[in-house]
Amino acid sequence: MNTIITRYVQNGQLADLYDKVMEGRRLSFEDGVRLWQSDDLTAIGALANIVRENKNGNRTYYVRNQHINYTNICNKGCKFCSFYAQKNGPAPYTMSTDDVRVKLERTRHIPLTEIHMVAGIHPKLPYSYYLDLLRTVKATRPDAHIKAFTMVELLQIQKLADKPMEEVLLELKANGLDSLPGGGAEILTDRVHDTLFPKKETATEWLHTAMTAHRVGLPTNATMLYGHIETIEERVIHLIKLREAQDETGGFLTFIPLAFSSKGTKLEHIPSTTGALDLKAIAIGRLMLDNFPHIKGFWMMITPPVAQTAQWYGADDIDGTIVEYEITHEISQDNSQQLSQRKLVEMILEAGREPVERDPLYNVIEREDSRTLLPHHEGNRIPLPMAAG
Ligand code: SF4
């Protein structure tokens, strides 16, 4: 942190947290509440940036990925969701395994490292569908890592399999599953659960399922949907529950704050989140989740400009190229659903960070076509970033 910013934080209302962060001490529930209550976004971001740079230096990770949302039929009716098929809303669809194969074959020329699959809870799909889906993806893109199924999907799959969750996870793993995206955590409190998504898994079930996955060797991410009816205290409770689970298993890779978008949901009266709230969610996530290796500023959710800024507010990951994404309609109308690798690299460089292509487990991918995009490569025409920091 440069001297001016350090002095600014040391003389401000969060000076005591500066000492805690510098000494690597864990922030408490009360600290978390104070951070959310504070309007000193500069100080919050600067504190988060200390942790970010201690853990990940100047690197910003990205991945080349394709999303498959295999069905939008869902019997859970979550009030914040605009994805599932309903009257006056999206038309229903379900992909056969052949449909999935065709989608993947269309992108065969792209060296993707991740296939990301999540969907609704279709009450009529059998257990065999999920196993076939995994086998189809593995057979079509054997080189790609399969990250699939939120906790509510896993609970549905377990119900169909009628076996303990450990056994089901091992069977999915044997058929190609490599990790879990960690979606659907929303806000891990009973009040928010009972108000917004009573038919979905509870906070306890979400955490238990994630921790079971970790124990059988399947890493996961963890999300937080913010900007709807949750209180500041509930956001902090959510983060502390994740931190405690991580203390036990160490299986979470990345925390992904998801900005709530109300368009097309039953909560249309709630305005969209602001850039300031998006940056705060990322920064406070970085500060509270001291045991999470990575924090993502998901460009598609918070827009590319905010995702760039987020790289100085605690985020060290910007997600990926994303081919086809159906979940958030409002965002996908305003922004392209796909960014080329060149565009992603340019965005990261322009933000003043070092772009690093990763696989879903954060192994660095070294490829000639990645190297040619970097500024020091002969013939490169990308402008160097402006001096940052
Ligand atoms: S959030 Fe997921 S479980 Fe809830 S309605 Fe939407 S698709 Fe279904």
Side-chain angles (χ1 to χ4, degrees), residues 109-336:
H109 58 289
I110 305 173
L112 300 168
T113 49
E114 174 187 300
I115 307 297
H116 184 131
M117 281 197 301
V118 294
I121 306 304
H122 188 322
K124 296 201 175 135
L125 291 176
Y127 182 48
S128 57
Y129 174 87
Y130 298 93
L131 299 177
D132 286 347
L133 195 59
L134 290 169
R135 284 195 292 261
T136 301
V137 176
K138 236 356 162 206
T140 317
R141 291 302 299 247
D143 47 334
H145 174 116
I146 304 180
K147 181 189 283 182
F149 307 135
T150 59
M151 305 314 160
V152 68
E153 288 169 277
L154 286 173
L155 287 161
Q156 170 71 4
I157 296 169
Q158 182 203 6
K159 191 170 118 189
L160 296 167
D162 196 20
K163 295 176 191 173
M165 184 57 89
E166 287 84 351
E167 266 184 55
V168 173
L169 286 164
L170 287 169
E171 199 156 6
L172 294 172
K173 203 174 164 193
N175 282 276
L177 183 65
D178 295 302
S179 69
L180 313 181
E186 325 309 1
I187 289 285
L188 295 168
T189 69
D190 290 342
R191 185 192 76 88
V192 177
H193 171 266
D194 296 350
T195 311
L196 293 190
F197 50 101
K199 292 191 189 161
K200 232 162 98 155
E201 82 283 1
T202 62
T204 308
E205 287 168 331
W206 191 95
L207 286 163
H208 181 74
T209 308
M211 292 166 82
T212 307
H214 299 168
R215 291 193 178 103
V216 302
L218 288 166
T220 78
N221 294 329
T223 55
M224 176 177 83
L225 184 73
Y226 63 92
H228 43 87
I229 64 156
E230 83 286 3
T231 63
I232 280 175
E233 287 77 9
E234 284 170 331
R235 290 178 193 154
V236 182
I237 290 169
H238 180 95
L239 293 171
I240 290 179
K241 282 183 179 173
L242 292 179
R243 188 168 76 185
E244 287 172 351
Q246 179 77 329
D247 279 343
E248 268 193 57
T249 65
F252 290 115
L253 287 171
T254 310
F255 173 62
I256 313 169
L258 299 175
F260 174 57
S261 162
S262 65
K263 193 169 179 196
T265 74
K266 295 192 171 77
L267 304 172
E268 278 203 328
H269 58 285
I270 297 180
S272 297
T273 63
T274 60
L277 182 62
D278 298 335
L279 293 174
K280 229 173 167 182
I282 285 167
I284 298 173
R286 180 61 289 169
L287 287 164
M288 295 300 293
L289 298 175
D290 52 15
N291 52 6
F292 273 57
H294 303 285
I295 307 288
K296 187 180 291 184
F298 189 4
W299 68 263
M300 187 172 287
M301 283 270 172
I302 58 177
T303 74
V306 177
Q308 283 179 302
T309 314
Q311 302 308 312
W312 293 91
Y313 283 74
D316 60 278
D317 192 309
I318 205 160
D319 202 80
T321 45
I322 306 178
V323 181
E324 299 184 45
Y325 183 78
E326 311 287 343
I327 303 286
T328 312
H329 295 279
E330 184 177 19
I331 298 292
S332 59
Q333 280 160 19
D334 295 339
N335 297 288
S336 164

Side-chain angles (χ1 to χ4, degrees), residues 74 76-78 80-81 83-84 119-121 152 186 200:
C74 186
K76 299 299 176 191
C78 304
F80 57 80
C81 181
F83 167 69
Y84 70 98
I121 306 304
V152 68
E186 325 309 1
K200 232 162 98 155

Side-chain angles (χ1 to χ4, degrees), residues 64-75:
R64 285 201 256 190
N65 54 356
Q66 177 168 5
H67 283 233
I68 303 274
N69 303 125
Y70 55 86
T71 181
N72 70 345
I73 293 175
C74 186
N75 61 8

